[in-house]
Every structure is written in C-alpha cells, then in structure tokens.
Amino acid sequence: MYRGTFAIVDERAIRHNVAAFKQKLSDSTRLLIAVKANGYGHGAVEVAQAALGAGATDLGVASIEEALQLRRAGIAAPILVLGVVSPTAARTAAKWQIAVTLGDDWSEYSVPQFEPPLHVHIKIDTGMSRLGFKTLDEVLPVVRWINSRPDVVWSGIFTHLATADAADYSRTKVQIARFEQILAGLKAQGFVLPLVHAANSAGILRDPNWHYDMVRLGISTYGCPPSREMDVPVSLWPTLHLYSFITRVATIDRGEGVSYGASFVADRPTKVATVPVGYADGYPRALSNRAHVVIHGQKARVIGKVCMDQLMVDVTEIDDVHPGDCVTLYGRYAPEGWRQSVMESLPESEHKDWLIRTFRNYSGKNLLPLDDVAKIGHTISYELMCALSLRVPRIYVKN
Ligand SMILES: *Cc1c(COP(=O)(O)O)cnc(C)c1O
C-alpha cells in the first residue's frame, strides 16, 4: 500500500448489524441481505460471508454478473437477482441455481428449456412504478404460464416499498394494501403462495406485519439508518471507515487561492494540508468547501474544490500536523498511532496486519458518521458507500 489511502471494512460490525435485525424477526422469517453494487461498496463476497455467518439466509443482487461473482466464490446460499432478466440470460441463472425476478410476461417470448429448473420470483408494482405487474389480471397469466412449465419453479412473489423510510409513510400503507389484494386474489384462485416478501430496511423497522416470509435488509446491514426521518430502535455499528495520510503541509498567505478555480481564498495566513483522496476515490466533489475531515481527533474543513485524486484541508487551528499524519474521511477517528512513518518502518507485507491489529485494539468510539458526510454532500449514505472506488484498498477486520 504505497499511496496510504485505504478503507477499513469491519466485518464484526456487519455481523452485529445482521444479528441485531435477525432478533427482530420471527424464527421462520428468512433474512435476505442486499449485496448488490459490490455489497454497497464494501465487497460483495466478504459481506455475504459475514452476513451468512450471522444468520442471514439469502442474498440479493442486481444482475446475473453479481450473482455469478458470489457463486464463483463458492457461496451456495439462495441468491435472487432483484433486477429483471431476459429469458436467454436466465439460462445462465438456471445453470448456477440463481433465482430471477419476473417483471414481464414471458409467455410471448421464445423461452429456452431450463436445466436445472429456473426459480422465479414474481415482482408486483404496488406504487414504486419501477418494475412489476400492477394487477391481478396481469399476474394470473404469468402464474399459469409458470405452472405450465415443468422447468420453471414459482419460488416467490414480492413488492418493493418506496416511502417506508419517510416521516409520512401513508403511501407505504397503500402499497401494502395493494399487495395484499393481489395475494388474496391469487389465493382465491386456488394458488398456494410461494415465498412472500416486501420489506427493505425501513419496512422491517416500521411494521412486523410487513415481514411476511422473508425480509430484504440492505442499508442497515452497513450500519446506517434508512433515513433521518425514522427512529431506528436497533444499535447499528458503522462498517465502513475511510482513511488517508497527509502528503504535504504548507502555509499560504491571506489572498491566496486553494485548488481549481480558487473557490477558497484565504482571509488570513492559512495552514493547508493535502490529502491524497479525491472524487475518483469516491469522496464527492460536492463536499468541496463544505465537509470536514478529522486529524488528531480535531475537525479540519475541506477547502477549495475536491480534485480527482487529492483534496486540501485547513489545519491552521491544529498543532503538530505533519506529512504522514492520518486523516479520517469518515468512520471511526483514526487511532493516534496511525502514522505513515510507522507503517513504513514495517515490511510491506505487515501493513495490513498492523492496521487490522491497531484498529481492533483501539477503543476510541468517536465517529465521523458516513451518513453525516453524505448529507453534507447532498446525497445519501447508499450513494456515498457505492461511490467508494475499486482503487481504494479495502482492509477487512474479520474478528
Ligand atoms: C436494494 C434493495 C433492497 C434493500 O433496500 P435498503 O433500503 O438498502 O434496505 C430491498 N429490496 C430491493 C428490491 C432492493 O433493490
């Protein structure tokens, strides 16, 4: 690790969060963990393994490619592709025993024979207006078509909630009522329902009646509340922590500009630290002149535009700031011992072990919440997590 910018993924926190939600469910309710988008940026395989170890039963992804990544890593748990898949692409899904979402009537297509049988979950659009069938009349021919196919198994039926995390979630109640109506209609036609599921993180917390046979936990696996508009009566531990080491400290005169466009101009002599993290790493440009980082336990404001690979912070008020000092971009404040010089005194092969060991033994609880940084950047925790670029090494703290 030569650049000194890295993320810690705390698998202990992932396991804690999953177990905490598991406790909210009845014993028979299955717990799917959404690991799409590389496990919300954390690393899909690592998150999947940690979550399954903590009581999760199923995994949710956005594409067959993401599902294959898990299968190739040897993960055998049920996987559901939450986005829609074409009949020809589904051949691969069947081969690897990956369940797919059916949001379109396939009876009009030329559908290949599936070997082994393809597992499908029917998607109902109850108000998200994104994917799925809207009425019982649309669903019935699909169910009949599935039942006419010996190589297709009806494994699930589900909907997705659009406003469960909002202060006013009355639309969610309408969504659930529509879902119930379709489920009742299917039962009235004599169909035995497969796995029924509806709730995302927010839905799980809002109402246990929405848990049905399985819930789909995403953002709160990763330690964030679904939104700021709801109480989260579960203790969530932060899972993602981003750090870097200062590369330069310099003092500029009053009137001098910082970064592209000189959007920050010093109104006094200002001590500026340069940090090798930028928007290409997933630290959004929208944080320019708005966010702060933490150095030696103190806040330092981001000044000037965030560049592609670097950013500058004002450290005028912080004593003893030097190149090689550790910067917390979000997550738990870095342990005081984290200095580049300490790392460089170790053989390269021991960098990771040293970081893991010191992070694990560090008792500091102070936090620069990822969720707060997201808000300052006019976005949400989900997007900030997914933005973490693949060039940022992830260091996994397993136990
Ligand atoms: C991503 C996703 C989830 C998880 O949502 P969170 O808000 O992150 O809990 C659940 N269901 C579907 C269909 C999804 O795409």
Side-chain angles (χ1 to χ4, degrees):
M1 215 175 55
Y2 303 105
R3 185 175 177 227
T5 294
F6 60 96
I8 295 268
V9 176
D10 192 347
E11 293 186 26
R12 301 168 306 177
I14 294 171
R15 292 197 301 267
H16 165 87
N17 297 337
V18 169
F21 270 83
K22 179 97 183 158
Q23 281 208 323
K24 297 249 150 209
L25 308 177
S26 77
D27 289 345
S28 60
T29 307
R30 277 161 62 169
L31 174 57
L32 175 147
I33 303 297
V35 297
K36 62 202 183 201
N38 195 29
Y40 288 42
H42 293 61
V45 171
E46 289 82 358
V47 171
Q49 285 166 341
L52 291 168
T57 55
D58 294 63
L59 301 167
V61 295
S63 65
I64 292 181
E65 284 81 353
E66 289 185 344
L68 290 175
Q69 189 198 353
L70 300 173
R71 283 284 183 261
R72 290 190 174 121
I75 292 171
I79 301 175
L80 172 61
V81 177
L82 299 162
V84 292
V85 165
S86 75
T88 33
R91 226 192 308 220
T92 304
K95 190 173 145 211
W96 290 84
Q97 289 293 280
I98 296 161
V100 300
T101 293
L102 201 57
D104 196 3
D105 185 351
W106 278 4
S107 60
E108 304 292 314
Y109 295 76
S110 85
V111 180
Q113 283 294 121
F114 297 110
E115 173 58 40
L118 177 71
H119 289 255
V120 299
H121 289 229
I122 294 179
K123 181 77 184 274
I124 309 296
D125 178 8
T126 53
M128 176 81 177
S129 306
R130 186 168 72 176
L131 289 179
F133 305 98
K134 290 175 73 75
T135 63
L136 184 62
D137 285 349
E138 286 173 18
V139 177
L140 283 172
V142 177
V143 175
R144 292 195 187 106
W145 175 80
I146 293 171
N147 286 344
S148 74
R149 296 273 307 216
D151 58 335
V152 180
V153 181
W154 187 23
S155 299
I157 183 163
F158 73 111
T159 191
H160 190 44
L161 306 175
T163 64
D165 63 344
D168 172 8
Y169 58 104
S170 51
R171 283 176 187 276
T172 310
K173 293 176 190 158
V174 173
Q175 283 197 270
I176 293 287
R178 287 177 180 158
F179 190 48
E180 291 280 351
Q181 208 175 5
I182 288 181
L183 298 177
L186 287 164
K187 280 196 246 177
Q189 297 277 331
F191 293 110
V192 176
L193 296 181
L195 204 69
V196 176
H197 48 113
N200 51 7
S201 299
I204 298 168
L205 295 168
R206 280 286 184 218
D207 191 340
N209 289 317
W210 303 350
H211 292 181
Y212 298 103
D213 303 319
M214 181 166 81
V215 297
R216 305 187 306 270
L217 185 69
I219 193 66
S220 294
T221 304
Y222 307 100
C224 285
S227 79
R228 288 159 180 274
E229 293 180 39
M230 65 183 303
D231 293 334
V232 180
V234 176
S235 92
L236 296 175
W237 291 3
T239 58
L240 192 62
H241 312 259
L242 181 61
Y243 303 103
S244 189
F245 293 107
I246 294 171
T247 49
R248 174 196 193 236
V249 179
T251 300
I252 60 170
D253 294 333
R254 179 167 184 269
E256 292 222 65
V258 173
S259 194
Y260 293 117
S263 62
F264 176 90
V265 175
D267 60 5
R268 56 173 181 171
T270 300
K271 194 165 57 164
V272 180
T274 303
V275 187
V277 176
Y279 57 78
D281 299 296
Y283 194 85
R285 194 165 176 273
L287 293 169
S288 302
N289 290 309
R290 297 173 54 86
H292 67 266
V293 304
V294 172
I295 296 167
H296 299 326
Q298 287 176 265
K299 293 179 180 183
R301 198 158 74 86
V302 174
I303 52 175
K305 294 291 184 196
V306 173
C307 309
M308 190 182 290
D309 315 305
Q310 306 179 70
L311 58 83
M312 276 65 84
V313 296
D314 181 348
V315 291
T316 311
E317 305 299 331
I318 310 178
D319 293 333
D320 278 331
V321 177
H322 303 286
D325 288 358
C326 195
V327 180
T328 305
L329 284 308
Y330 50 70
R332 250 162 70 181
Y333 290 10
E336 263 308 299
W338 278 8
R339 297 250 157 71
Q340 188 127 35
S341 53
V342 181
M343 274 184 66
E344 282 175 354
S345 67
L346 301 166
E348 164 78 6
S349 62
E350 287 177 19
H351 288 182
K352 259 191 206 175
D353 291 344
W354 178 75
L355 286 168
I356 291 168
R357 195 169 57 245
T358 47
F359 185 85
R360 198 198 281 131
N361 294 339
Y362 166 58
S363 56
K365 291 274 184 283
N366 281 335
L367 194 67
L368 174 51
L370 179 147
D371 203 32
D372 289 359
V373 176
K375 182 160 191 265
I376 292 166
H378 303 295
T379 183
I380 54 175
S381 55
Y382 298 73
E383 192 180 15
L384 192 55
M385 287 176 181
C386 296
L388 187 66
S389 144
L390 287 177
R391 85 173 179 191
V392 177
R394 282 123 168 106
I395 293 171
Y396 292 93
V397 177
K398 293 196 179 290
N399 47 48

PDB file of all heavy atoms in Angstrom, residues 37 41 50 68 95 132 180 185 216 229 235 243 258 272 278 297 350 354:
ATOM      1  N   ALA A  37     -24.188  -4.049  -5.998  1.00  0.00           N
ATOM      2  CA  ALA A  37     -23.194  -2.968  -6.091  1.00  0.00           C
ATOM      3  C   ALA A  37     -21.992  -3.257  -5.195  1.00  0.00           C
ATOM      4  O   ALA A  37     -21.573  -2.419  -4.393  1.00  0.00           O
ATOM      5  CB  ALA A  37     -23.830  -1.617  -5.745  1.00  0.00           C
ATOM      6  N   GLY A  41     -20.500  -1.285  -1.885  1.00  0.00           N
ATOM      7  CA  GLY A  41     -19.131  -0.788  -1.895  1.00  0.00           C
ATOM      8  C   GLY A  41     -18.153  -1.508  -0.978  1.00  0.00           C
ATOM      9  O   GLY A  41     -16.950  -1.309  -1.065  1.00  0.00           O
ATOM     10  N   ALA A  50     -19.839 -12.785   5.766  1.00  0.00           N
ATOM     11  CA  ALA A  50     -20.045 -12.303   7.142  1.00  0.00           C
ATOM     12  C   ALA A  50     -21.525 -12.391   7.513  1.00  0.00           C
ATOM     13  O   ALA A  50     -21.880 -12.856   8.600  1.00  0.00           O
ATOM     14  CB  ALA A  50     -19.542 -10.871   7.276  1.00  0.00           C
ATOM     15  N   LEU A  68     -23.070 -14.341 -10.143  1.00  0.00           N
ATOM     16  CA  LEU A  68     -22.000 -15.271 -10.520  1.00  0.00           C
ATOM     17  C   LEU A  68     -20.743 -15.037  -9.695  1.00  0.00           C
ATOM     18  O   LEU A  68     -20.027 -15.980  -9.344  1.00  0.00           O
ATOM     19  CB  LEU A  68     -21.682 -15.133 -12.015  1.00  0.00           C
ATOM     20  CG  LEU A  68     -22.766 -15.660 -12.961  1.00  0.00           C
ATOM     21  CD1 LEU A  68     -22.397 -15.356 -14.412  1.00  0.00           C
ATOM     22  CD2 LEU A  68     -22.982 -17.161 -12.768  1.00  0.00           C
ATOM     23  N   LYS A  95     -28.587 -22.482 -14.677  1.00  0.00           N
ATOM     24  CA  LYS A  95     -27.412 -23.356 -14.573  1.00  0.00           C
ATOM     25  C   LYS A  95     -26.729 -23.204 -13.221  1.00  0.00           C
ATOM     26  O   LYS A  95     -26.262 -24.180 -12.631  1.00  0.00           O
ATOM     27  CB  LYS A  95     -26.440 -23.000 -15.702  1.00  0.00           C
ATOM     28  CG  LYS A  95     -25.304 -23.952 -15.870  1.00  0.00           C
ATOM     29  CD  LYS A  95     -24.489 -23.617 -17.118  1.00  0.00           C
ATOM     30  CE  LYS A  95     -23.031 -23.908 -16.841  1.00  0.00           C
ATOM     31  NZ  LYS A  95     -22.147 -23.027 -17.584  1.00  0.00           N
ATOM     32  N   GLY A 132     -42.513  -4.532 -12.428  1.00  0.00           N
ATOM     33  CA  GLY A 132     -43.510  -5.464 -11.913  1.00  0.00           C
ATOM     34  C   GLY A 132     -44.877  -5.344 -12.533  1.00  0.00           C
ATOM     35  O   GLY A 132     -45.165  -4.423 -13.309  1.00  0.00           O
ATOM     36  N   GLU A 180     -51.507  -6.968  -0.681  1.00  0.00           N
ATOM     37  CA  GLU A 180     -52.413  -7.917  -0.005  1.00  0.00           C
ATOM     38  C   GLU A 180     -53.559  -8.319  -0.921  1.00  0.00           C
ATOM     39  O   GLU A 180     -53.978  -9.484  -0.941  1.00  0.00           O
ATOM     40  CB  GLU A 180     -53.004  -7.273   1.263  1.00  0.00           C
ATOM     41  CG  GLU A 180     -52.009  -7.057   2.386  1.00  0.00           C
ATOM     42  CD  GLU A 180     -51.748  -8.333   3.186  1.00  0.00           C
ATOM     43  OE1 GLU A 180     -52.471  -9.327   2.969  1.00  0.00           O
ATOM     44  OE2 GLU A 180     -50.808  -8.316   4.001  1.00  0.00           O
ATOM     45  N   GLY A 185     -56.204 -12.359  -4.063  1.00  0.00           N
ATOM     46  CA  GLY A 185     -56.779 -12.762  -5.344  1.00  0.00           C
ATOM     47  C   GLY A 185     -56.190 -14.078  -5.836  1.00  0.00           C
ATOM     48  O   GLY A 185     -56.900 -14.936  -6.363  1.00  0.00           O
ATOM     49  N   ARG A 216     -35.833  -8.091   3.219  1.00  0.00           N
ATOM     50  CA  ARG A 216     -34.645  -7.795   2.404  1.00  0.00           C
ATOM     51  C   ARG A 216     -33.890  -6.615   3.027  1.00  0.00           C
ATOM     52  O   ARG A 216     -34.260  -5.451   2.842  1.00  0.00           O
ATOM     53  CB  ARG A 216     -35.059  -7.464   0.959  1.00  0.00           C
ATOM     54  CG  ARG A 216     -35.923  -8.562   0.319  1.00  0.00           C
ATOM     55  CD  ARG A 216     -36.164  -8.281  -1.163  1.00  0.00           C
ATOM     56  NE  ARG A 216     -36.727  -6.974  -1.420  1.00  0.00           N
ATOM     57  CZ  ARG A 216     -38.034  -6.684  -1.476  1.00  0.00           C
ATOM     58  NH1 ARG A 216     -38.936  -7.646  -1.331  1.00  0.00           N
ATOM     59  NH2 ARG A 216     -38.439  -5.453  -1.710  1.00  0.00           N
ATOM     60  N   GLU A 229     -35.475  10.316   8.881  1.00  0.00           N
ATOM     61  CA  GLU A 229     -36.865  10.603   9.248  1.00  0.00           C
ATOM     62  C   GLU A 229     -37.489   9.504  10.087  1.00  0.00           C
ATOM     63  O   GLU A 229     -38.684   9.522  10.335  1.00  0.00           O
ATOM     64  CB  GLU A 229     -37.702  10.828   7.981  1.00  0.00           C
ATOM     65  CG  GLU A 229     -37.309  12.082   7.249  1.00  0.00           C
ATOM     66  CD  GLU A 229     -38.144  12.295   6.001  1.00  0.00           C
ATOM     67  OE1 GLU A 229     -39.349  12.023   6.017  1.00  0.00           O
ATOM     68  OE2 GLU A 229     -37.551  12.727   4.985  1.00  0.00           O
ATOM     69  N   SER A 235     -29.313  -1.133  17.585  1.00  0.00           N
ATOM     70  CA  SER A 235     -27.991  -0.490  17.631  1.00  0.00           C
ATOM     71  C   SER A 235     -27.234  -0.884  16.371  1.00  0.00           C
ATOM     72  O   SER A 235     -27.062  -2.061  16.070  1.00  0.00           O
ATOM     73  CB  SER A 235     -27.240  -0.907  18.896  1.00  0.00           C
ATOM     74  OG  SER A 235     -26.446  -2.031  18.673  1.00  0.00           O
ATOM     75  N   TYR A 243      -9.752   6.281   5.355  1.00  0.00           N
ATOM     76  CA  TYR A 243      -8.590   6.979   5.917  1.00  0.00           C
ATOM     77  C   TYR A 243      -7.572   7.302   4.838  1.00  0.00           C
ATOM     78  O   TYR A 243      -7.529   6.655   3.789  1.00  0.00           O
ATOM     79  CB  TYR A 243      -7.898   6.100   6.971  1.00  0.00           C
ATOM     80  CG  TYR A 243      -8.794   5.670   8.093  1.00  0.00           C
ATOM     81  CD1 TYR A 243      -9.307   4.370   8.141  1.00  0.00           C
ATOM     82  CD2 TYR A 243      -9.144   6.561   9.113  1.00  0.00           C
ATOM     83  CE1 TYR A 243     -10.143   3.964   9.176  1.00  0.00           C
ATOM     84  CE2 TYR A 243      -9.980   6.166  10.149  1.00  0.00           C
ATOM     85  CZ  TYR A 243     -10.481   4.857  10.178  1.00  0.00           C
ATOM     86  OH  TYR A 243     -11.310   4.476  11.192  1.00  0.00           O
ATOM     87  N   VAL A 258      -7.024  28.281  -3.163  1.00  0.00           N
ATOM     88  CA  VAL A 258      -6.773  26.853  -2.977  1.00  0.00           C
ATOM     89  C   VAL A 258      -7.554  26.070  -4.021  1.00  0.00           C
ATOM     90  O   VAL A 258      -8.762  26.276  -4.187  1.00  0.00           O
ATOM     91  CB  VAL A 258      -7.193  26.385  -1.556  1.00  0.00           C
ATOM     92  CG1 VAL A 258      -7.083  24.874  -1.416  1.00  0.00           C
ATOM     93  CG2 VAL A 258      -6.346  27.071  -0.492  1.00  0.00           C
ATOM     94  N   VAL A 272      -2.343  24.716   5.254  1.00  0.00           N
ATOM     95  CA  VAL A 272      -3.116  23.829   4.370  1.00  0.00           C
ATOM     96  C   VAL A 272      -2.462  22.455   4.334  1.00  0.00           C
ATOM     97  O   VAL A 272      -1.261  22.340   4.055  1.00  0.00           O
ATOM     98  CB  VAL A 272      -3.161  24.402   2.934  1.00  0.00           C
ATOM     99  CG1 VAL A 272      -3.965  23.493   2.016  1.00  0.00           C
ATOM    100  CG2 VAL A 272      -3.732  25.818   2.935  1.00  0.00           C
ATOM    101  N   GLY A 278      -9.630  11.799  -3.562  1.00  0.00           N
ATOM    102  CA  GLY A 278     -10.416  12.696  -4.389  1.00  0.00           C
ATOM    103  C   GLY A 278     -11.697  12.053  -4.864  1.00  0.00           C
ATOM    104  O   GLY A 278     -12.068  10.979  -4.395  1.00  0.00           O
ATOM    105  N   GLY A 297      -7.946  13.842  16.055  1.00  0.00           N
ATOM    106  CA  GLY A 297      -9.171  13.992  16.824  1.00  0.00           C
ATOM    107  C   GLY A 297      -9.852  15.339  16.663  1.00  0.00           C
ATOM    108  O   GLY A 297     -10.846  15.630  17.324  1.00  0.00           O
ATOM    109  N   GLU A 350       3.461  -6.500   6.165  1.00  0.00           N
ATOM    110  CA  GLU A 350       2.830  -6.407   7.501  1.00  0.00           C
ATOM    111  C   GLU A 350       1.923  -5.192   7.658  1.00  0.00           C
ATOM    112  O   GLU A 350       1.318  -5.016   8.710  1.00  0.00           O
ATOM    113  CB  GLU A 350       3.924  -6.383   8.583  1.00  0.00           C
ATOM    114  CG  GLU A 350       4.567  -7.750   8.771  1.00  0.00           C
ATOM    115  CD  GLU A 350       5.697  -7.712   9.796  1.00  0.00           C
ATOM    116  OE1 GLU A 350       5.749  -6.763  10.608  1.00  0.00           O
ATOM    117  OE2 GLU A 350       6.525  -8.638   9.770  1.00  0.00           O
ATOM    118  N   TRP A 354      -0.850  -4.864  10.607  1.00  0.00           N
ATOM    119  CA  TRP A 354      -0.665  -3.819  11.606  1.00  0.00           C
ATOM    120  C   TRP A 354      -1.913  -2.939  11.708  1.00  0.00           C
ATOM    121  O   TRP A 354      -2.400  -2.626  12.804  1.00  0.00           O
ATOM    122  CB  TRP A 354       0.566  -2.974  11.235  1.00  0.00           C
ATOM    123  CG  TRP A 354       0.795  -1.840  12.181  1.00  0.00           C
ATOM    124  CD1 TRP A 354       1.299  -1.907  13.454  1.00  0.00           C
ATOM    125  CD2 TRP A 354       0.511  -0.460  11.927  1.00  0.00           C
ATOM    126  NE1 TRP A 354       1.351  -0.653  14.004  1.00  0.00           N
ATOM    127  CE2 TRP A 354       0.878   0.258  13.097  1.00  0.00           C
ATOM    128  CE3 TRP A 354      -0.005   0.253  10.842  1.00  0.00           C
ATOM    129  CZ2 TRP A 354       0.736   1.640  13.196  1.00  0.00           C
ATOM    130  CZ3 TRP A 354      -0.132   1.627  10.941  1.00  0.00           C
ATOM    131  CH2 TRP A 354       0.229   2.311  12.097  1.00  0.00           C
TER     132      TRP A 354
END
